[in-house]
Amino acid sequence: MRLEPIANPGLMRRLAPPALAIAGSFLVASLLALIAGGNPFAVFGAILKGAAGSKFALLETLNRATPLIFTGLAVAVAFRARLWNIGAEAQLYAGAVVTVMLGTGALHWPSLPLLVVIGVASMLAGALLLLIPALLKTRFGVDEVVTTLLFNFIFLLFVSYLLEGPLKDPMGMGWPKSARLISEARLPRIIEGLRLHWGFVLALVSALVLWVINTRTTLGFEMRAVGQNAEAARFAGIPVTRVILKTALLSGGLAALAGFSEVAGLKGSLTLDLSPGYGYTGIVVAMLALLHPLGVVVAALFVAAIFVGADAMSRALGVPSYLADIMLASALLMMVLAILLSKFRVVRD
Amino acid sequence: MDLIDILTSAAFWAAAIRIASPLIFATLGELICERAGVLNLGIEGIMVAGAFAGWIAVWAGLPLWGGVAVAFAAGMAFGLLHATLSVPFGLSQHVVGIGVTLLATSLTFYTYRVVLPEVSSPPKITAFQPFEVPILSQIPLLGPAFFAQTPLTYAAFLLVIVVALVLYRTPLGLAVRAAGENPQAVAAQGLSVTAIRMGAVIVGSGFMAVGGAFLTLSAFDSFFFDMVNGRGWICIALVVFGAWKPGKALLGAVLFAAFDALQIRLQQTPIGAVVPYQLFLMMPYILSILALVVMSRRAEVPAALMVTFNKGER
C-alpha cells in the first residue's frame, strides 16, 4: 500500500476524523462493556448521567476538566513545536509544591497579591523543570520523551520526600501530607455555594491567551515553523534552539498551573495522590483537540465527563472504571490515524 | 568496609543478575525495534500487559512456560498494533508509542478487575524456582551468583547470544539492520521495508512482554498495578547506553541492576539512616538520564531511526 496526498481536503474530510475517532472509541468500549457483562446502552447511559445528570455531577465534571485544560494546553503548545513533553505530571507537582511552600504561612499577604505571586512562582517552577530536558535536547541531542518521563518518577519521589520531611504537616497524624493553605492563599469559589473555583476561569483564560500567542505573535509563528520543519525554520533564520527553550518554559508553566489550581482551588493541601495522571491524560486531551488551544477546552470537558461518568457508572453497574482510560487511549490512536486519512488516500500498489 | 563487603558477596551479585533479567529481555526487544528503524515507546505498557498476561495464564492453570508463551503472544499483539500504525501508515512513533502504552496499561487493569472483581490482594502462583547448574554452581562466589538463578534468567542471557548472532550473522539480521540504516537500499534489493520493520516491532514487543512476565513469574509470584514502575523507560535509556548492540546492552543492564541492588543494600547501612530513602530510589532514573547524556556524544544511532519509509519516495 501507498499513501497519496489529497490536494484540497473538503470541510467534511477535515472535521470527520475527530468524530470518527470518538465513535470508534465508543465502539471499543461497548465491546469491552459486553465482555464485563454490562449492557453498553446502560453503561453509556450511566456515564452520561454520572457526568451531567445533576448540578453536582456537572460541577464535578467542570472541576475535573480544570487541571486537564492546563495539562492539555501544556502538551498542545509543546507538541505543536515538536517538543515531546511527556513530563506534565512532574511539572504539575512542581506547581503544587511551590503553592504549598508559599501558601501555608510563609507569606502573610492579602489574598489577591499572594495568589498572583504563588501562581507566577508555580509557573516558574514548572518552567524550570521542563527547561532541563529541553536543554539536554538542544545541547546534547538527548530525546526529551525519555528524560521527561524519567523526571516524572524522580520528581514524584522528591515530593514523597518533601511530604515525609520538610513539608510534612506536623498535625497530620503521621500521614505524608502537607499542612493546609492559609485562607488568603485559597482560590475562592466563583459563586458562593457552588463547588467551582476560579481555577476554572484561569484555565479558560490560559486557553484564550495561548490561542492569541499562537495566532497573533511572532513566537506563535516561530513555534509552528519549528514544529513543521526545524531545518527549514533554521534556514529561514528562526533561532530554533531559543524557540524550543521558550516553548519549554511556556509548556512547563502551563502544566504547573494545574498543580497550583488543584491545591489552591480544590484540595487545600498536597498529598502524593493529588493527580491521578492528569499529566498523561493531557496528551490525549491535546491530541483530541488537534493541538488547538480552544479545542483543548472542549476536549478536556469531554475527557473529564468520561472520567467522572465512568466512576459513577462503575459504582452503579460494576463495570470497571478503567473503561474510561481504554476509551481515551483508543480515541488517541484512532485520532492520529483518522487525521492521516483526512490528508492522505491509501492506494494499493 | 561496608561497601567492599557488599560488592564481594555472592548474594549481592545474585540479586543484580535477578534485577537485570527483565531489563535484558525488554532492552533486547527495544533494540530489535530500533535497529529496524522504529522507536517503540509502547514498551512500558507492553511490559505491564506481559506481566499480567503471563501471570493470569499460570493462575488459570497453564504451566509456567505456557505463561511465558502467553505473555509473548500478548506482546506481539500490541506490537502488531504499534507496527501497523507506525510503519505502513507512518504515524508519529512518539504518539503511537504513548498511545500503545496507555492502551496496554488500561486494558490490563480493566481485565484484571473483570477477572478478579472483588479481591483485596491478588492471588499468588508458584513462580519459577532457582535451578542450580551442576558443577558450575559450586564455583565459589561466581557459582551462587550466576548459576543458581531461575530458568528465565538463563533464557535472558541465552537470548542475548541468539539476538546478536541473528543480527550480525544472518541475512535476516542484515536486512533488519539495513532497514534501520538505509531503507532505500533494502527496497532496491527487492525486499519489503514495511514487512521487515513490522516483523521487528512485533517480535521485539514480544520480548518486552516476556520481560514484564519475568516480574510476575520469576522475581515475584503475583501481579501488582505499579510493578513495572518505569522499567520500560529505563530500557530505552539502556538501548542508547548499549550503543544499539546486544552485548553492550547486556553489560549496561547488569551494571544498572548492580547499582540498583547496591542502593537497596545501602539503605540498610549507616548512610541509609542519614540519606532519605527516596534519594536511593531516584538513583536508577537519574542514572538513566546521565547515561543518555554521556552516550549522546557517541552518535551510533541507526541512521533511519524514526524516519518513515514510503516506497517510490527518496
Side-chain angles (χ1 to χ4, degrees), chain B residues 73-134:
Chain B
M76 291 212 300
F78 285 109
L80 175 65
L81 176 65
H82 189 297
T84 308
L85 294 173
S86 65
V87 181
F89 287 112
L91 295 171
S92 157
Q93 293 174 11
H94 283 119
V95 177
V96 169
I98 297 292
V100 168
T101 280
L102 291 175
L103 185 66
T105 310
S106 52
L107 265 177
T108 300
F109 293 173
Y110 183 80
T111 314
Y112 177 95
R113 282 274 175 251
V114 170
V115 178
L116 303 162
E118 295 296 334
V119 292
S120 52
S121 67
K124 289 185 189 309
I125 55 154
T126 310
F128 279 107
Q129 298 302 312
F131 172 78
E132 296 191 0
V133 182

Side-chain angles (χ1 to χ4, degrees), chain A residues 12-34:
Chain A
M12 271 305 288
R13 194 140 192 150
R14 281 190 288 131
L15 284 183
L20 281 176
I22 288 166
S25 69
F26 271 92
L27 197 68
V28 171
S30 303
L31 284 174
L32 289 166
L34 277 174

Side-chain angles (χ1 to χ4, degrees), chain A residues 240-253:
Chain A
V240 173
T241 302
R242 282 178 56 185
V243 171
I244 291 176
L245 296 181
K246 281 183 199 167
T247 308
L249 292 175
L250 195 54
S251 173

Side-chain angles (χ1 to χ4, degrees), chain A residues 1-3 28-29 32-36 79 82 84 86 136 140-147 149-151 153-155 157-162 164 280-281 283-284 287 319-323 325-327 329-330 332-333 336-337 340-341 346 349, chain B residues 39 41 44 81 85 88-92 94-100 102-111 113-114 194 225 229-231 233-234 236-237 276-279 281-286 288-289 292-294 296-297 306 310-312:
Chain A
M1 59 168 264
R2 226 154 23 89
L3 297 172
V28 171
L32 289 166
L34 277 174
I35 292 170
F79 278 24
R82 289 205 168 250
W84 303 105
I86 320 291
L136 291 179
F140 300 101
V142 178
D143 190 305
E144 72 277 20
V145 172
V146 187
T147 45
L149 275 166
L150 291 170
F151 263 113
F153 292 88
I154 295 172
F155 201 82
L157 283 165
F158 177 62
V159 175
S160 155
Y161 157 71
L162 289 177
E164 288 175 18
Y280 301 101
T281 311
I283 299 168
V284 182
M287 293 308 296
V319 174
S321 61
Y322 289 110
L323 193 67
D325 302 81
I326 298 174
M327 275 184 76
S330 52
L332 168 68
L333 289 174
V336 280
L337 182 62
L340 180 88
L341 295 179
V346 177
D349 282 332
Chain B
L39 173 73
L41 293 179
E44 178 83 6
L81 176 65
L85 294 173
F89 287 112
L91 295 171
S92 157
H94 283 119
V95 177
V96 169
I98 297 292
V100 168
L102 291 175
L103 185 66
T105 310
S106 52
L107 265 177
T108 300
F109 293 173
Y110 183 80
T111 314
R113 282 274 175 251
V114 170
T194 306
F225 275 25
N229 204 15
R231 280 185 178 83
W233 312 128
I234 286 168
I236 290 184
Y277 71 93
Q278 288 95 344
L279 190 68
L281 293 178
M282 277 180 205
M283 280 302 154
Y285 308 109
I286 295 175
S288 299
I289 292 178
L292 285 172
V293 174
V294 171
S296 67
R297 295 184 177 280
M306 291 193 272
N310 287 316
K311 203 155 71 184

